Amino acid sequence: MTVRVTVADPTTHRCDVLAVGVFSAPARLEGIAAKMDQALGGHLARALQEERFTAEVGKVLVLYTHGRLPAARIAAVGLGDRAGFTLDRLRIASGAVARATQDRHLTRLAFPPLPLKEWEPAVIAAIRTEGALLGTYAFTKYRKDKGHDVNVDLLAANRAAATAVEGGRRRGQVVAEAVNY
């Protein structure tokens, strides 16, 4: 698995799966999820309601965009309640969406910027990298079939943010590789 940092707008980034975090409370979409819902004509919010998606930590709902966005699919991943949100929840959610991507034999997963004032972009990038790498780890030394690799794009809004995100990506990769050693 490779994790790379890309300066791109989530609404124009081409990938197999674009992961958007959804909080259980308040019950409305916000941030990138709201932008994706608007681009899809309200389809995301409607699907979440019809599927009774509770945004429980680590739950994933994958929807096709039907060509309305460059991303082929949107993965709504549950982050739990906003009031009790922690970095561990983000790690679990990142691992869950990476596994969902891997299980569908898809190649490219993208994480848009997560604008949380509590944590710097580098910390969020490190946690997302750890989650994706740990969530898709499989011991394949003695297997003929080595499994399916997922390539992850950590999207940054601009070059300054990309520098910080790159530092977080490296830190997260070192931690995940040490755990998986």
Side-chain angles (χ1 to χ4, degrees), residues 25-83:
R28 62 180 165 70
L29 296 175
E30 53 187 70
I32 299 296
K35 284 183 184 178
M36 297 300 126
D37 183 50
Q38 184 179 13
L40 294 171
H43 179 68
L44 178 59
R46 196 167 40 255
L48 292 173
Q49 184 179 15
E50 289 174 2
E51 293 292 326
R52 294 187 178 122
F53 187 75
T54 59
E56 185 179 323
V57 177
K59 296 295 181 185
V60 179
L61 178 65
V62 179
L63 305 167
Y64 285 92
T65 62
H66 299 289
R68 292 185 181 178
L69 291 169
R73 295 163 190 83
I74 297 288
V77 60
L79 299 175
D81 187 32
R82 186 182 249 299

Tab-separated table of all heavy atoms in Angstrom, residues 25-83:
chain	number	residue	atom	x	y	z
A	25	ALA	N	-24.319	13.139	15.500
A	25	ALA	CA	-25.061	14.294	15.980
A	25	ALA	C	-24.227	15.537	15.712
A	25	ALA	O	-23.037	15.537	16.007
A	25	ALA	CB	-25.348	14.171	17.474
A	26	PRO	N	-24.720	16.544	15.118
A	26	PRO	CA	-26.101	16.705	14.672
A	26	PRO	C	-26.395	15.811	13.474
A	26	PRO	O	-25.491	15.359	12.794
A	26	PRO	CB	-26.183	18.184	14.294
A	26	PRO	CG	-24.801	18.570	13.928
A	26	PRO	CD	-23.892	17.718	14.781
A	27	ALA	N	-27.657	15.617	13.208
A	27	ALA	CA	-28.088	14.659	12.189
A	27	ALA	C	-27.950	15.188	10.760
A	27	ALA	O	-28.373	14.536	9.828
A	27	ALA	CB	-29.528	14.256	12.457
A	28	ARG	N	-27.346	16.327	10.578
A	28	ARG	CA	-27.183	16.862	9.221
A	28	ARG	C	-25.728	16.734	8.774
A	28	ARG	O	-24.821	16.687	9.595
A	28	ARG	CB	-27.641	18.309	9.164
A	28	ARG	CG	-26.854	19.232	10.051
A	28	ARG	CD	-27.354	20.669	9.951
A	28	ARG	NE	-26.858	21.480	11.023
A	28	ARG	CZ	-25.605	21.875	11.176
A	28	ARG	NH1	-24.702	21.533	10.324
A	28	ARG	NH2	-25.246	22.634	12.192
A	29	LEU	N	-25.551	16.679	7.465
A	29	LEU	CA	-24.201	16.578	6.913
A	29	LEU	C	-23.504	17.926	7.008
A	29	LEU	O	-24.139	18.974	6.902
A	29	LEU	CB	-24.273	16.129	5.454
A	29	LEU	CG	-24.854	14.740	5.228
A	29	LEU	CD1	-24.984	14.466	3.744
A	29	LEU	CD2	-23.994	13.684	5.879
A	30	GLU	N	-22.191	17.887	7.175
A	30	GLU	CA	-21.424	19.135	7.269
A	30	GLU	C	-20.094	18.978	6.557
A	30	GLU	O	-19.637	17.861	6.296
A	30	GLU	CB	-21.216	19.525	8.735
A	30	GLU	CG	-20.619	18.431	9.587
A	30	GLU	CD	-20.594	18.793	11.066
A	30	GLU	OE1	-21.663	18.848	11.672
A	30	GLU	OE2	-19.493	19.013	11.573
A	31	GLY	N	-19.479	20.089	6.222
A	31	GLY	CA	-18.159	20.089	5.589
A	31	GLY	C	-18.157	19.443	4.216
A	31	GLY	O	-19.028	19.704	3.384
A	32	ILE	N	-17.174	18.587	3.983
A	32	ILE	CA	-17.011	17.917	2.692
A	32	ILE	C	-18.213	17.036	2.381
A	32	ILE	O	-18.650	16.953	1.235
A	32	ILE	CB	-15.707	17.077	2.681
A	32	ILE	CG1	-14.492	17.964	2.897
A	32	ILE	CG2	-15.578	16.279	1.402
A	32	ILE	CD1	-14.233	18.980	1.810
A	33	ALA	N	-18.776	16.381	3.391
A	33	ALA	CA	-19.942	15.524	3.177
A	33	ALA	C	-21.110	16.335	2.628
A	33	ALA	O	-21.823	15.886	1.717
A	33	ALA	CB	-20.343	14.819	4.466
A	34	ALA	N	-21.297	17.551	3.134
A	34	ALA	CA	-22.375	18.414	2.640
A	34	ALA	C	-22.111	18.848	1.199
A	34	ALA	O	-23.037	18.894	0.374
A	34	ALA	CB	-22.529	19.634	3.541
A	35	LYS	N	-20.842	19.138	0.869
A	35	LYS	CA	-20.500	19.509	-0.515
A	35	LYS	C	-20.757	18.347	-1.470
A	35	LYS	O	-21.259	18.536	-2.570
A	35	LYS	CB	-19.031	19.928	-0.615
A	35	LYS	CG	-18.732	21.286	-0.074
A	35	LYS	CD	-17.270	21.618	-0.289
A	35	LYS	CE	-16.912	22.945	0.328
A	35	LYS	NZ	-15.491	23.254	0.157
A	36	MET	N	-20.391	17.139	-1.052
A	36	MET	CA	-20.618	15.963	-1.895
A	36	MET	C	-22.107	15.702	-2.072
A	36	MET	O	-22.564	15.359	-3.150
A	36	MET	CB	-19.946	14.719	-1.303
A	36	MET	CG	-18.445	14.806	-1.215
A	36	MET	SD	-17.682	15.037	-2.815
A	36	MET	CE	-16.722	16.483	-2.499
A	37	ASP	N	-22.867	15.884	-1.000
A	37	ASP	CA	-24.309	15.697	-1.071
A	37	ASP	C	-24.933	16.694	-2.039
A	37	ASP	O	-25.804	16.338	-2.840
A	37	ASP	CB	-24.929	15.848	0.320
A	37	ASP	CG	-26.420	15.584	0.319
A	37	ASP	OD1	-26.839	14.532	-0.217
A	37	ASP	OD2	-27.170	16.420	0.856
A	38	GLN	N	-24.468	17.930	-1.993
A	38	GLN	CA	-24.980	18.960	-2.904
A	38	GLN	C	-24.644	18.600	-4.343
A	38	GLN	O	-25.486	18.721	-5.234
A	38	GLN	CB	-24.386	20.322	-2.538
A	38	GLN	CG	-24.924	21.452	-3.372
A	38	GLN	CD	-24.322	22.785	-2.955
A	38	GLN	OE1	-23.343	22.836	-2.219
A	38	GLN	NE2	-24.912	23.858	-3.431
A	39	ALA	N	-23.424	18.139	-4.595
A	39	ALA	CA	-23.018	17.754	-5.949
A	39	ALA	C	-23.818	16.554	-6.452
A	39	ALA	O	-24.029	16.402	-7.656
A	39	ALA	CB	-21.524	17.441	-5.987
A	40	LEU	N	-24.266	15.708	-5.525
A	40	LEU	CA	-25.051	14.530	-5.892
A	40	LEU	C	-26.558	14.799	-5.867
A	40	LEU	O	-27.357	13.876	-5.988
A	40	LEU	CB	-24.725	13.364	-4.953
A	40	LEU	CG	-23.316	12.802	-5.046
A	40	LEU	CD1	-23.059	11.816	-3.917
A	40	LEU	CD2	-23.095	12.150	-6.394
A	41	GLY	N	-26.939	16.050	-5.709
A	41	GLY	CA	-28.356	16.409	-5.717
A	41	GLY	C	-29.137	15.885	-4.520
A	41	GLY	O	-30.318	15.552	-4.642
A	42	GLY	N	-28.478	15.779	-3.366
A	42	GLY	CA	-29.133	15.306	-2.152
A	42	GLY	C	-29.177	13.793	-2.020
A	42	GLY	O	-29.745	13.261	-1.063
A	43	HIS	N	-28.539	13.094	-2.950
A	43	HIS	CA	-28.567	11.625	-2.941
A	43	HIS	C	-27.871	11.033	-1.715
A	43	HIS	O	-28.337	10.030	-1.165
A	43	HIS	CB	-27.924	11.094	-4.231
A	43	HIS	CG	-27.875	9.604	-4.315
A	43	HIS	ND1	-29.006	8.840	-4.454
A	43	HIS	CD2	-26.833	8.742	-4.251
A	43	HIS	CE1	-28.657	7.561	-4.479
A	43	HIS	NE2	-27.351	7.481	-4.358
A	44	LEU	N	-26.780	11.631	-1.270
A	44	LEU	CA	-26.049	11.105	-0.118
A	44	LEU	C	-26.902	11.156	1.144
A	44	LEU	O	-27.055	10.152	1.840
A	44	LEU	CB	-24.730	11.872	0.082
A	44	LEU	CG	-23.873	11.465	1.277
A	44	LEU	CD1	-23.479	9.996	1.198
A	44	LEU	CD2	-22.621	12.341	1.347
A	45	ALA	N	-27.488	12.302	1.439
A	45	ALA	CA	-28.332	12.440	2.634
A	45	ALA	C	-29.528	11.505	2.566
A	45	ALA	O	-29.904	10.872	3.559
A	45	ALA	CB	-28.796	13.883	2.793
A	46	ARG	N	-30.122	11.398	1.390
A	46	ARG	CA	-31.281	10.519	1.212
A	46	ARG	C	-30.891	9.052	1.442
A	46	ARG	O	-31.590	8.310	2.119
A	46	ARG	CB	-31.870	10.723	-0.184
A	46	ARG	CG	-33.237	10.186	-0.384
A	46	ARG	CD	-33.917	10.663	-1.667
A	46	ARG	NE	-33.058	10.738	-2.840
A	46	ARG	CZ	-32.587	11.872	-3.368
A	46	ARG	NH1	-32.892	13.039	-2.825
A	46	ARG	NH2	-31.827	11.849	-4.442
A	47	ALA	N	-29.746	8.637	0.890
A	47	ALA	CA	-29.289	7.256	1.058
A	47	ALA	C	-28.960	6.961	2.518
A	47	ALA	O	-29.284	5.881	3.020
A	47	ALA	CB	-28.070	6.994	0.180
A	48	LEU	N	-28.327	7.896	3.206
A	48	LEU	CA	-28.017	7.705	4.621
A	48	LEU	C	-29.291	7.523	5.444
A	48	LEU	O	-29.357	6.678	6.332
A	48	LEU	CB	-27.200	8.874	5.162
A	48	LEU	CG	-25.775	9.020	4.616
A	48	LEU	CD1	-25.152	10.315	5.120
A	48	LEU	CD2	-24.921	7.833	4.980
A	49	GLN	N	-30.307	8.299	5.113
A	49	GLN	CA	-31.580	8.202	5.829
A	49	GLN	C	-32.291	6.892	5.490
A	49	GLN	O	-32.768	6.190	6.383
A	49	GLN	CB	-32.474	9.386	5.478
A	49	GLN	CG	-33.772	9.409	6.246
A	49	GLN	CD	-34.619	10.610	5.887
A	49	GLN	OE1	-34.389	11.275	4.895
A	49	GLN	NE2	-35.611	10.879	6.706
A	50	GLU	N	-32.332	6.529	4.223
A	50	GLU	CA	-33.024	5.305	3.815
A	50	GLU	C	-32.332	4.051	4.341
A	50	GLU	O	-32.993	3.060	4.646
A	50	GLU	CB	-33.141	5.246	2.292
A	50	GLU	CG	-34.123	6.243	1.733
A	50	GLU	CD	-34.132	6.294	0.213
A	50	GLU	OE1	-33.396	5.511	-0.438
A	50	GLU	OE2	-34.881	7.132	-0.323
A	51	GLU	N	-31.004	4.087	4.426
A	51	GLU	CA	-30.253	2.947	4.943
A	51	GLU	C	-30.175	2.939	6.468
A	51	GLU	O	-29.568	2.052	7.051
A	51	GLU	CB	-28.831	2.940	4.365
A	51	GLU	CG	-28.771	2.688	2.880
A	51	GLU	CD	-29.190	1.275	2.515
A	51	GLU	OE1	-28.931	0.339	3.300
A	51	GLU	OE2	-29.777	1.120	1.432
A	52	ARG	N	-30.763	3.956	7.080
A	52	ARG	CA	-30.736	4.120	8.540
A	52	ARG	C	-29.298	4.103	9.067
A	52	ARG	O	-28.976	3.439	10.050
A	52	ARG	CB	-31.580	3.049	9.211
A	52	ARG	CG	-33.037	3.188	8.881
A	52	ARG	CD	-33.882	2.229	9.686
A	52	ARG	NE	-35.278	2.449	9.369
A	52	ARG	CZ	-36.070	1.505	8.884
A	52	ARG	NH1	-35.619	0.290	8.702
A	52	ARG	NH2	-37.317	1.783	8.621
A	53	PHE	N	-28.459	4.846	8.382
A	53	PHE	CA	-27.047	4.953	8.749
A	53	PHE	C	-26.940	5.798	10.003
A	53	PHE	O	-27.278	6.979	10.004
A	53	PHE	CB	-26.263	5.585	7.591
A	53	PHE	CG	-24.780	5.585	7.789
A	53	PHE	CD1	-24.050	4.423	7.634
A	53	PHE	CD2	-24.108	6.757	8.114
A	53	PHE	CE1	-22.668	4.415	7.803
A	53	PHE	CE2	-22.736	6.765	8.280
A	53	PHE	CZ	-22.013	5.585	8.125
A	54	THR	N	-26.455	5.199	11.084
A	54	THR	CA	-26.407	5.884	12.373
A	54	THR	C	-25.078	6.574	12.638
A	54	THR	O	-24.916	7.196	13.675
A	54	THR	CB	-26.675	4.882	13.515
A	54	THR	OG1	-25.676	3.853	13.461
A	54	THR	CG2	-28.069	4.279	13.401
A	55	ALA	N	-24.121	6.441	11.729
A	55	ALA	CA	-22.790	7.029	11.857
A	55	ALA	C	-22.041	6.479	13.067
A	55	ALA	O	-21.226	7.157	13.674
A	55	ALA	CB	-22.852	8.561	11.895
A	56	GLU	N	-22.326	5.235	13.405
A	56	GLU	CA	-21.578	4.551	14.455
A	56	GLU	C	-20.121	4.448	14.011
A	56	GLU	O	-19.829	4.253	12.835
A	56	GLU	CB	-22.174	3.155	14.639
A	56	GLU	CG	-21.590	2.364	15.771
A	56	GLU	CD	-22.252	1.001	15.896
A	56	GLU	OE1	-23.467	0.905	15.675
A	56	GLU	OE2	-21.528	0.045	16.199
A	57	VAL	N	-19.190	4.558	14.941
A	57	VAL	CA	-17.764	4.586	14.624
A	57	VAL	C	-17.374	3.349	13.816
A	57	VAL	O	-17.633	2.214	14.221
A	57	VAL	CB	-16.913	4.661	15.905
A	57	VAL	CG1	-15.432	4.626	15.563
A	57	VAL	CG2	-17.244	5.905	16.691
A	58	GLY	N	-16.779	3.591	12.643
A	58	GLY	CA	-16.280	2.512	11.809
A	58	GLY	C	-17.277	1.920	10.834
A	58	GLY	O	-16.906	1.101	9.998
A	59	LYS	N	-18.528	2.308	10.902
A	59	LYS	CA	-19.516	1.809	9.937
A	59	LYS	C	-19.318	2.555	8.623
A	59	LYS	O	-19.096	3.768	8.609
A	59	LYS	CB	-20.947	2.014	10.437
A	59	LYS	CG	-21.249	1.237	11.685
A	59	LYS	CD	-21.206	-0.250	11.427
A	59	LYS	CE	-21.546	-1.012	12.687
A	59	LYS	NZ	-21.415	-2.433	12.563
A	60	VAL	N	-19.427	1.823	7.515
A	60	VAL	CA	-19.161	2.404	6.202
A	60	VAL	C	-20.331	2.122	5.270
A	60	VAL	O	-20.836	0.997	5.227
A	60	VAL	CB	-17.867	1.827	5.587
A	60	VAL	CG1	-17.603	2.406	4.212
A	60	VAL	CG2	-16.683	2.065	6.511
A	61	LEU	N	-20.755	3.139	4.536
A	61	LEU	CA	-21.772	2.993	3.501
A	61	LEU	C	-21.174	3.535	2.208
A	61	LEU	O	-20.795	4.705	2.144
A	61	LEU	CB	-23.041	3.770	3.863
A	61	LEU	CG	-24.154	3.730	2.831
A	61	LEU	CD1	-24.692	2.305	2.663
A	61	LEU	CD2	-25.281	4.664	3.236
A	62	VAL	N	-21.055	2.674	1.197
A	62	VAL	CA	-20.453	3.062	-0.083
A	62	VAL	C	-21.554	3.265	-1.110
A	62	VAL	O	-22.412	2.403	-1.292
A	62	VAL	CB	-19.449	1.986	-0.569
A	62	VAL	CG1	-18.846	2.390	-1.896
A	62	VAL	CG2	-18.364	1.767	0.472
A	63	LEU	N	-21.508	4.426	-1.778
A	63	LEU	CA	-22.508	4.785	-2.784
A	63	LEU	C	-21.827	5.144	-4.095
A	63	LEU	O	-20.783	5.793	-4.097
A	63	LEU	CB	-23.309	6.010	-2.327
A	63	LEU	CG	-23.990	5.931	-0.984
A	63	LEU	CD1	-24.446	7.309	-0.558
A	63	LEU	CD2	-25.168	4.991	-1.063
A	64	TYR	N	-22.429	4.766	-5.200
A	64	TYR	CA	-21.937	5.172	-6.515
A	64	TYR	C	-22.327	6.622	-6.774
A	64	TYR	O	-23.404	7.061	-6.378
A	64	TYR	CB	-22.531	4.289	-7.613
A	64	TYR	CG	-21.933	2.925	-7.677
A	64	TYR	CD1	-22.500	1.868	-6.970
A	64	TYR	CD2	-20.790	2.679	-8.415
A	64	TYR	CE1	-21.944	0.603	-7.016
A	64	TYR	CE2	-20.218	1.423	-8.461
A	64	TYR	CZ	-20.807	0.390	-7.758
A	64	TYR	OH	-20.246	-0.852	-7.814
A	65	THR	N	-21.466	7.350	-7.469
A	65	THR	CA	-21.771	8.740	-7.808
A	65	THR	C	-22.429	8.851	-9.184
A	65	THR	O	-22.905	9.909	-9.541
A	65	THR	CB	-20.504	9.612	-7.791
A	65	THR	OG1	-19.597	9.132	-8.782
A	65	THR	CG2	-19.855	9.612	-6.420
A	66	HIS	N	-22.431	7.793	-9.952
A	66	HIS	CA	-23.056	7.752	-11.279
A	66	HIS	C	-22.580	8.880	-12.179
A	66	HIS	O	-23.364	9.479	-12.911
A	66	HIS	CB	-24.579	7.766	-11.155
A	66	HIS	CG	-25.106	6.584	-10.413
A	66	HIS	ND1	-25.108	5.307	-10.932
A	66	HIS	CD2	-25.620	6.465	-9.153
A	66	HIS	CE1	-25.608	4.463	-10.056
A	66	HIS	NE2	-25.912	5.133	-8.961
A	67	GLY	N	-21.279	9.185	-12.094
A	67	GLY	CA	-20.677	10.173	-12.978
A	67	GLY	C	-20.911	11.620	-12.594
A	67	GLY	O	-20.467	12.526	-13.297
A	68	ARG	N	-21.582	11.882	-11.498
A	68	ARG	CA	-21.818	13.267	-11.078
A	68	ARG	C	-20.585	13.909	-10.456
A	68	ARG	O	-20.520	15.126	-10.310
A	68	ARG	CB	-22.973	13.337	-10.097
A	68	ARG	CG	-24.303	13.005	-10.732
A	68	ARG	CD	-25.411	13.204	-9.753
A	68	ARG	NE	-26.681	12.874	-10.360
A	68	ARG	CZ	-27.823	12.915	-9.714
A	68	ARG	NH1	-27.853	13.270	-8.446
A	68	ARG	NH2	-28.940	12.598	-10.333
A	69	LEU	N	-19.641	13.074	-10.048
A	69	LEU	CA	-18.371	13.529	-9.484
A	69	LEU	C	-17.244	12.733	-10.133
A	69	LEU	O	-17.476	11.614	-10.601
A	69	LEU	CB	-18.338	13.285	-7.975
A	69	LEU	CG	-19.255	14.116	-7.101
A	69	LEU	CD1	-19.287	13.554	-5.690
A	69	LEU	CD2	-18.789	15.549	-7.066
A	70	PRO	N	-16.030	13.259	-10.155
A	70	PRO	CA	-14.899	12.471	-10.664
A	70	PRO	C	-14.638	11.206	-9.839
A	70	PRO	O	-14.151	10.220	-10.364
A	70	PRO	CB	-13.718	13.433	-10.576
A	70	PRO	CG	-14.328	14.789	-10.597
A	70	PRO	CD	-15.642	14.647	-9.886
A	71	ALA	N	-14.968	11.231	-8.561
A	71	ALA	CA	-14.838	10.035	-7.723
A	71	ALA	C	-15.942	9.060	-8.124
A	71	ALA	O	-17.108	9.443	-8.227
A	71	ALA	CB	-14.974	10.398	-6.250
A	72	ALA	N	-15.574	7.800	-8.339
A	72	ALA	CA	-16.566	6.805	-8.756
A	72	ALA	C	-17.549	6.467	-7.638
A	72	ALA	O	-18.713	6.168	-7.903
A	72	ALA	CB	-15.864	5.537	-9.233
A	73	ARG	N	-17.080	6.521	-6.390
A	73	ARG	CA	-17.912	6.194	-5.240
A	73	ARG	C	-17.620	7.154	-4.081
A	73	ARG	O	-16.525	7.661	-3.964
A	73	ARG	CB	-17.636	4.764	-4.753
A	73	ARG	CG	-18.017	3.688	-5.732
A	73	ARG	CD	-17.339	2.369	-5.347
A	73	ARG	NE	-17.469	1.364	-6.370
A	73	ARG	CZ	-16.677	1.272	-7.442
A	73	ARG	NH1	-15.702	2.118	-7.622
A	73	ARG	NH2	-16.878	0.321	-8.333
A	74	ILE	N	-18.616	7.317	-3.245
A	74	ILE	CA	-18.464	8.060	-1.996
A	74	ILE	C	-18.632	7.044	-0.874
A	74	ILE	O	-19.583	6.258	-0.886
A	74	ILE	CB	-19.544	9.156	-1.851
A	74	ILE	CG1	-19.421	10.202	-2.939
A	74	ILE	CG2	-19.504	9.790	-0.462
A	74	ILE	CD1	-18.242	11.107	-2.803
A	75	ALA	N	-17.724	7.043	0.076
A	75	ALA	CA	-17.851	6.182	1.252
A	75	ALA	C	-18.131	7.066	2.453
A	75	ALA	O	-17.278	7.847	2.864
A	75	ALA	CB	-16.589	5.368	1.472
A	76	ALA	N	-19.348	6.959	2.984
A	76	ALA	CA	-19.684	7.667	4.211
A	76	ALA	C	-19.226	6.780	5.359
A	76	ALA	O	-19.635	5.623	5.462
A	76	ALA	CB	-21.182	7.912	4.291
A	77	VAL	N	-18.345	7.303	6.174
A	77	VAL	CA	-17.805	6.519	7.290
A	77	VAL	C	-18.203	7.187	8.598
A	77	VAL	O	-18.070	8.395	8.760
A	77	VAL	CB	-16.269	6.340	7.170
A	77	VAL	CG1	-15.548	7.666	7.157
A	77	VAL	CG2	-15.725	5.451	8.263
A	78	GLY	N	-18.741	6.376	9.504
A	78	GLY	CA	-19.217	6.880	10.777
A	78	GLY	C	-18.094	7.306	11.703
A	78	GLY	O	-17.113	6.581	11.868
A	79	LEU	N	-18.256	8.484	12.299
A	79	LEU	CA	-17.280	9.013	13.255
A	79	LEU	C	-17.851	9.089	14.668
A	79	LEU	O	-17.181	9.562	15.577
A	79	LEU	CB	-16.814	10.406	12.816
A	79	LEU	CG	-16.118	10.498	11.459
A	79	LEU	CD1	-15.819	11.952	11.111
A	79	LEU	CD2	-14.853	9.667	11.443
A	80	GLY	N	-19.088	8.639	14.842
A	80	GLY	CA	-19.721	8.700	16.158
A	80	GLY	C	-20.205	10.099	16.486
A	80	GLY	O	-20.372	10.944	15.608
A	81	ASP	N	-20.412	10.338	17.766
A	81	ASP	CA	-20.898	11.631	18.232
A	81	ASP	C	-19.776	12.661	18.194
A	81	ASP	O	-18.651	12.372	18.604
A	81	ASP	CB	-21.436	11.482	19.657
A	81	ASP	CG	-22.121	12.730	20.155
A	81	ASP	OD1	-22.716	13.453	19.327
A	81	ASP	OD2	-22.065	12.984	21.374
A	82	ARG	N	-20.077	13.844	17.734
A	82	ARG	CA	-19.062	14.900	17.616
A	82	ARG	C	-18.496	15.285	18.980
A	82	ARG	O	-17.300	15.544	19.114
A	82	ARG	CB	-19.654	16.129	16.927
A	82	ARG	CG	-18.624	17.199	16.651
A	82	ARG	CD	-19.244	18.416	16.011
A	82	ARG	NE	-18.889	18.658	14.640
A	82	ARG	CZ	-17.682	18.874	14.169
A	82	ARG	NH1	-16.650	18.791	14.957
A	82	ARG	NH2	-17.475	19.136	12.910
A	83	ALA	N	-19.319	15.295	19.989
A	83	ALA	CA	-18.870	15.710	21.326
A	83	ALA	C	-17.810	14.766	21.895
A	83	ALA	O	-16.916	15.199	22.606
A	83	ALA	CB	-20.062	15.791	22.275
